[in-house]
Amino acid sequence: MQRTMGNYNLGFKTIIATLGIILSLTGCSEHTKDSIKFVLNEFGFIHPKETTTELSLNRQEIEQEFSIAEYCKEEYDSIFILQPYYYTGKDEFKKLNMSNRLRSKCDYFINFEHFSTILFISNGKVKAYSVIERIDADFATMEIEKQHIFPFEQKFIMDKNRDVHIYNE
């Protein structure tokens, strides 16, 4: 009987030691997780390499030219405008260098009539995005349906219905 109790104590100590090692290793991996921060916005988690950019286009005056660059703190090379119901199977969209997570978010956003999505591109990669409510600025105009990628400094103009058009001097 005493021999069995001794084996039991040895087995119990082994289990405790194993659990201690596992917990200390888990603590190390927690430290690694802390170095990767995610941003939480109203639509879910996004990776820091693809951050949301808030564009307060609801303050844009009508009949006044503007560029998206005026509303951004960061510099980008170009923007890609996705209107509602945009077909993401097009080659121009498929060729964009972005994460699968952001690609699926775009697939999600285009299903809502009251949103347009602007993708910000730098050095050939999508670095940020912004979801715009169409009541603030409606990018779903016929002109923009024909062309989706624009220089970052592209000038636009908003009419009295808040429809955004390409500004032609």
Side-chain angles (χ1 to χ4, degrees):
M1 188 63 133
Q2 211 164 18
R3 186 173 186 117
T4 308
M5 191 63 144
N7 289 342
Y8 175 76
N9 285 339
L10 182 60
F12 184 70
K13 289 178 183 177
T14 304
I15 291 172
I16 296 296
T18 305
L19 284 175
I21 291 169
I22 290 171
L23 289 174
S24 68
L25 290 175
T26 306
C28 293
S29 67
E30 279 299 316
H31 179 69
T32 306
K33 286 180 188 174
D34 288 343
S35 66
I36 301 172
K37 297 207 184 318
F38 286 82
V39 178
L40 180 63
N41 69 4
E42 62 196 291
F43 302 105
F45 286 108
I46 55 172
H47 195 275
K49 291 181 183 173
E50 296 160 344
T51 60
T52 57
T53 299
E54 187 174 329
L55 299 177
S56 49
L57 292 173
N58 60 338
R59 294 189 216 143
Q60 176 60 41
E61 292 182 37
I62 60 170
E63 304 299 332
Q64 297 292 316
E65 68 179 76
F66 71 96
S67 73
I68 298 298
E70 295 169 19
Y71 288 90
C72 294
K73 295 176 186 173
E74 303 290 323
E75 268 303 304
Y76 301 101
D77 301 330
S78 56
I79 58 173
F80 191 99
I81 300 174
L82 290 162
Q83 295 99 344
Y85 310 116
Y86 173 84
Y87 176 58
T88 56
K90 289 182 180 179
D91 282 343
E92 67 179 350
F93 185 77
K94 284 181 169 180
K95 291 179 183 177
L96 291 175
N97 187 356
M98 70 176 105
S99 71
N100 289 333
R101 174 175 241 144
L102 181 55
R103 197 170 295 278
S104 68
K105 282 185 180 295
C106 290
D107 283 333
Y108 175 74
F109 293 137
I110 62 169
N111 290 310
F112 296 98
E113 188 169 303
H114 53 282
F115 290 130
S116 290
T117 305
I118 299 177
L119 304 175
F120 297 88
I121 303 168
S122 185
N123 296 322
K125 287 184 164 187
V126 176
K127 297 288 186 175
Y129 70 94
S130 184
V131 178
I132 309 294
E133 288 192 56
R134 290 177 64 192
I135 58 172
D136 294 336
D138 191 356
F139 284 91
T141 62
M142 291 302 288
E143 310 167 311
I144 297 175
E145 271 184 27
K146 296 175 186 169
Q147 177 184 354
H148 297 281
I149 194 159
F150 298 93
F152 187 54
E153 299 290 333
Q154 172 70 48
K155 296 291 183 185
F156 297 99
I157 193 161
M158 188 181 303
D159 67 21
K160 65 182 178 185
N161 296 323
R162 309 223 38 100
D163 292 343
V164 177
H165 304 277
I166 299 167
Y167 181 74
N168 296 317
E169 296 179 56

